[in-house]
Amino acid sequence: MRKKNKWLMFGMSAALSGSILTGCMGPSPSEQAYEALENVVSKESPFKKEQQPLLELEQKENKIYNQIIALGMKDFEKIKTLSGDALKLVADRKDRIETEQKSIAESEKAFKDAEEALGKIEDGKAEKEADELKKLMHDRYNSYNELAKSYKSAIALDEELYKMFQNKELKLEDLEAHISKINASYKEVMELNKKFNEYTEQYNTAKKAFYKAADIKVDQ
């Protein structure tokens, strides 16, 4: 059995940055927006916490994959055991991506409050920065939804792969065709992850610009 490559998953995704207010909170629209925007950050805490565990699961699974490929079906019972272990890791990844999605959904819900506050801002540059902030965040949410959908499709292909390894009559051409699908799937995941990270970085930068334009004093 020839060794094939399998994409290591997308790993770390960029998370929103938070700030600590150093001045006094007040009732102005800008300060209301500040509170709402920082609440959005807090809603993504579970998303942020899932990044390192997901990366570690991906690395463990890739290690098992390489062990299976190295055996080349010479020790089928060992391959069955290893593929069973890999399926458990896949199941864990599925659970964690669900937690991640719920966190982003809560963030998106909380952002509606931020939009309402941002819509009340009427002074020049701050209003312009607020509009840019809203656009970038919507682009970010849309990007994440594409990414999550693609990643879950890739996980499904991984699950199918390890079930294939449990078939003693597995044909090399079938395995190679499936791994090609996986490689193409993870290539798409990596491209979408890059796009999501870029939107996140742009949003974090735009939020700082808004705070500066609105004269909100924060530690950054």
Side-chain angles (χ1 to χ4, degrees):
M1 183 183 295
R2 287 191 293 116
K3 184 174 181 180
K4 304 285 281 187
N5 292 323
K6 183 165 91 69
W7 285 90
L8 191 62
M9 326 317 172
F10 68 84
M12 299 293 284
S13 290
L16 296 184
S17 62
S19 304
I20 301 173
L21 189 65
T22 57
C24 295
M25 292 302 294
S28 74
S30 294
E31 289 166 337
Q32 289 173 22
Y34 170 85
E35 286 188 337
L37 290 170
E38 294 311 306
N39 183 45
V40 170
V41 175
S42 71
K43 295 298 183 184
E44 292 198 17
S45 179
F47 165 79
K48 188 175 181 180
K49 289 179 181 177
E50 290 300 335
Q51 299 308 296
Q52 188 60 33
L54 266 172
L55 179 60
E56 291 172 0
L57 286 169
E58 292 164 358
Q59 291 170 337
K60 287 178 182 178
E61 186 189 319
N62 206 56
K63 184 177 180 181
I64 290 176
Y65 167 80
N66 288 331
Q67 288 178 299
I68 291 173
I69 292 297
L71 287 171
M73 301 302 280
K74 291 180 290 186
D75 188 342
F76 180 66
E77 291 305 314
K78 179 65 173 176
I79 287 175
K80 278 186 67 176
T81 300
L82 288 170
S83 58
D85 292 341
L87 283 169
K88 292 176 184 176
L89 296 175
V90 170
D92 197 353
R93 285 169 56 212
K94 287 168 71 174
D95 288 342
R96 290 183 180 279
I97 200 68
E98 288 295 333
T99 299
E100 195 179 276
Q101 279 189 285
K102 287 178 183 177
S103 176
I104 295 294
E106 287 298 313
S107 167
E108 190 167 8
K109 183 178 178 182
F111 193 70
K112 294 183 186 302
D113 292 333
E115 282 189 291
E116 184 177 347
L118 290 168
K120 296 176 183 177
I121 296 169
E122 298 178 347
D123 56 6
K125 185 169 176 55
E127 183 179 3
K128 181 180 178 182
E129 296 292 352
D131 289 341
E132 178 67 9
L133 202 58
K134 288 186 286 185
K135 179 183 180 302
L136 283 170
M137 195 53 144
H138 282 297
D139 287 341
R140 179 177 179 269
Y141 287 134
N142 290 335
S143 176
Y144 176 80
N145 290 334
E146 287 184 61
L147 171 60
K149 182 179 179 180
S150 181
Y151 187 63
K152 289 171 82 171
S153 295
I155 290 177
L157 289 173
D158 280 333
E159 188 172 32
E160 187 177 346
L161 172 68
Y162 295 117
K163 289 179 178 177
M164 289 173 69
F165 279 130
Q166 295 184 337
N167 177 12
K168 196 170 186 178
E169 305 303 318
L170 175 62
K171 296 180 180 179
L172 178 61
E173 56 267 32
D174 292 337
L175 175 62
E176 290 183 330
H178 192 74
I179 291 175
S180 292
K181 287 182 183 178
I182 291 175
N183 287 341
S185 183
Y186 278 110
K187 182 177 180 181
E188 178 183 85
V189 169
M190 292 174 76
E191 289 170 352
L192 290 171
N193 189 64
K194 181 180 178 182
K195 183 179 176 183
F196 171 73
N197 287 348
E198 287 172 351
Y199 278 130
T200 301
E201 290 169 8
Q202 289 171 22
Y203 172 84
N204 286 334
T205 299
K207 188 173 72 168
K208 291 179 181 179
F210 165 69
Y211 286 166
K212 182 176 180 181
D215 198 28
I216 296 175
K217 301 297 188 291
V218 297
D219 285 338
Q220 300 184 9

